[in-house]
DNA sequence: CAATCATTTCGACCTACATCGAAACGATAC
DNA sequence: GTATCGTTTCGATGTAGGTCGAAATGATTG
């Protein structure tokens, strides 16, 4: 039960939802997400670690970058039920659409400097 | 988006999840829930107002009691997706089962005094 | 109408959380 | 190997949330 409430809590922050919706497009590194959200790098890293601990995302190193992506199915219990739900929510959200556009245009080589 | 995160947050507390699972059995008044959870009456009232504000439960007066029950379909956006999910979660949870038993045995006339 | 009873609101307390900047870490590049 | 760059961890700060007891509310009952 505690595990379930932790999962819901990880979804109870606007910036973490924005991260999940961005990752629906493609894997992203920390600085790309930071650039879109306009938060401190350390804050974004914290958000990602929370989403990783609950099982929504996984990370993988690629050179000097750490890429985060959505956990692909079969994902852990609860997550496999919630992930599809999140994917179909907020289809017309203004912020989500603006973030999507930024993700499309962002280039890690340019902004991480 | 804010509305969605508020909904997830209302699900991020163990006692509120317990309340929702109890209400799957039948409508309950505040003092019945208080008796099962072992919390202060004011705390339970607060939890219920949170669940009411997000749309998971509705209340109705019956004499001196206020009965709370799960919002029946069609429920508000998001809720109509989440409610069925919650109903199929935690089928074998120990606490949920113990609560269910207490709900079966509880009598509002006896305990609310 | 006065008293009782279930519930809600209020005020206070403590804990948990989001955020930042600085420092630590790890790997890459010169 | 030293410097640089992306990321993580740490410490501090302000805010939000869960809890309680007491006071307020609202309806029922005598």
């Amino acid at each position: 039960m505690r595990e379930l409430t932790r999962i819901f809590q990880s979804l109870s922050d606007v910036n973490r939802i924005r991260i999940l919706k961005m990752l629906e497009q493609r894997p992203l590194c920390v600085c790309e997400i930071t650039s879109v959200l306009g938060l401190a790098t350390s804050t974004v890293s914290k958000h990602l670690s929370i989403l990783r601990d609950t099982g929504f995302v996984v990370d993988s190193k690629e050179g000097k970058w750490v890429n985060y992506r959505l956990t692909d199915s079969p994902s852990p219990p609860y997550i496999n039920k919630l992930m599809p739900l999140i994917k179909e929510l907020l289809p017309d959200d203004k912020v989500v659409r603006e973030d999507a556009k930024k993700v499309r245009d962002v280039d890690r080589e340019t902004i991480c400097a």
Side-chain angles (χ1 to χ4, degrees), chain A:
Chain A
M1 166 122 60
R2 193 72 160 255
E3 176 62 16
L4 180 62
T5 55
R6 270 185 60 246
I7 287 171
F8 282 130
Q9 183 161 12
S10 73
L11 297 175
S12 71
D13 180 273
V14 170
N15 290 315
R16 286 197 290 270
I17 295 290
R18 289 174 69 185
I19 290 174
L20 291 179
K21 298 303 282 183
M22 285 192 278
L23 291 178
E24 286 180 12
Q25 294 186 72
R26 62 176 174 90
L28 295 167
C29 69
V30 180
C31 73
E32 287 173 314
I33 298 172
T34 301
S35 159
V36 173
L37 294 183
L39 297 173
T41 314
S42 57
T43 304
V44 172
S45 178
K46 187 81 194 304
H47 282 314
L48 286 165
S49 78
I50 290 172
L51 291 172
R52 175 165 36 79
D53 290 348
T54 48
F56 282 104
V57 306
V58 294
D59 60 351
S60 55
K61 293 211 166 186
E62 177 193 353
K64 53 183 174 180
W65 286 291
V66 178
N67 288 323
Y68 283 86
R69 66 174 193 277
L70 296 182
T71 304
D72 33 53
S73 59
S75 35
Y78 302 135
I79 307 298
N80 56 4
K81 305 269 185 186
L82 282 165
M83 193 85 89
L85 183 61
I86 297 168
K87 283 184 181 170
E88 68 183 55
L89 296 182
L90 303 169
D92 300 321
D93 186 89
K94 188 185 167 197
V95 175
V96 170
R97 248 179 316 173
E98 290 170 353
D99 289 348
K101 176 168 171 46
K102 288 180 192 165
V103 167
R104 242 174 284 123
D105 297 343
V106 81
D107 172 40
R108 66 175 62 178
E109 299 288 355
T110 307
I111 54 165
C112 301

